[in-house]
Amino acid sequence: MKIHLYEHRSMLECLEATMDFLRANRRVWWHTALLLFLPVALVMAIVVFSTMDDDRSHHDLFFWFENLVENFDRHAVLFAVTIFAGVWMVFTQVYALLLANEASADGADKLTLKQMRPWLWKMARRSWSMPMVLFFMMLVVFGFQSVGLALLIGIFSVPMAMFPSLRLMEGKGWRNSLERTVKMGFSVWFPLAFNIALVSMLGLYVIVALWLPTGLLSLLQETFSYQRVSEFEELFIYALGFVFTTAAFFGFHIVASMVVTVCAYEYGSVSERMYATSLEEEVSHFEEL
């Protein structure tokens, strides 16, 4: 079943269209997620575990964040690279699926991973700059000491969620994309912010659920630290902690994929309402014929 992107929808209809799109394309969505997100999640888990001090490598796993902050300087470049790669892969997956869905008469649900590879390669070449835009926005927000100014920039950042769609779906130039982003984004500021917040909150439960076993294993390790146990038992629990940490990072990318998708459908709705984008595409296709 093909879920059209360019269709005027209400706030809740955009959310419903997002969920329908993910359900209709769940097979290819999961296959591309495993291909793109799992390697990044594994590297992230390795980076996190590498921040642990040697004398704490077999305990206090639940408090890995303390070690991460303490040793951030030693791993700053690697952290930046893995985060960049993760954001890049999220944009690549979502917009490759959306483009394939729009190009196919029956949608993308029947496409195999092999058939998706040209779309993924195409979108990977086009979306590499999107993480840089996101990082720049975050630096601007956190770089100001004024709470009021940071809040103002935060409000402006909501419409910027439309920017990747204009660049990646329509291939607009930077200036044109920014102009349309401001015009389109502020016209649907509340629905866009609401759907981003709602999907993020639902995803937070998924991430917490995936990370909870890590905390339980940490408590188990603390118990073992007061008992005589074999090195194999400690390493086994440590390995399980690594697996659940990887799963949590993978879940984080899945949630990010859902957030980007709902932003794309909000864009599709307002773009259709303001510019009749689907009609423009049909005219362009007719002229090409």
Side-chain angles (χ1 to χ4, degrees), residues 72-223:
F72 181 78
D73 291 339
R74 287 188 297 169
H75 305 276
V77 175
L78 193 52
F79 277 126
V81 170
T82 53
I83 294 172
F84 178 93
V87 176
W88 183 20
M89 291 302 99
V90 168
F91 282 116
T92 297
Q93 186 225 27
V94 171
Y95 286 101
L97 282 174
L98 288 171
L99 281 176
N101 183 70
E102 291 298 306
S104 175
D106 300 322
D109 60 312
K110 301 296 184 182
L111 297 180
T112 64
L113 189 58
K114 184 178 181 179
Q115 293 170 320
M116 278 298 303
R117 283 176 183 171
W119 294 104
L120 293 171
W121 278 114
K122 178 181 179 180
M123 194 49 58
R125 292 193 299 268
R126 294 171 61 179
S127 64
W128 66 269
S129 60
M130 290 299 105
M132 298 177 65
V133 175
L134 182 61
F135 285 172
F136 176 77
M137 290 173 57
M138 292 177 63
L139 287 174
V140 171
V141 171
F142 292 110
F144 287 99
Q145 299 297 324
S146 172
V147 177
L149 188 57
L151 181 61
L152 183 63
I153 297 174
I155 292 173
F156 181 79
S157 67
V158 172
M160 285 299 293
M162 296 280 186
F163 183 78
S165 296
L166 284 159
R167 283 286 295 163
L168 302 178
M169 293 297 294
E170 297 189 23
K172 301 291 184 182
W174 286 88
R175 181 176 178 180
N176 190 289
S177 295
L178 285 171
E179 290 175 353
R180 284 203 179 192
T181 292
V182 174
K183 184 177 181 180
M184 295 167 60
F186 276 104
S187 69
V188 290
W189 192 96
F190 178 78
L192 182 60
F194 176 84
N195 278 335
I196 291 174
L198 182 60
V199 175
S200 299
M201 287 178 61
L202 293 175
L204 183 62
Y205 288 106
V206 175
I207 297 172
V208 170
L210 290 172
W211 207 288
L212 186 60
T214 303
L216 296 177
L217 286 171
S218 175
L219 295 177
L220 188 59
Q221 284 179 318
E222 285 296 309
T223 302

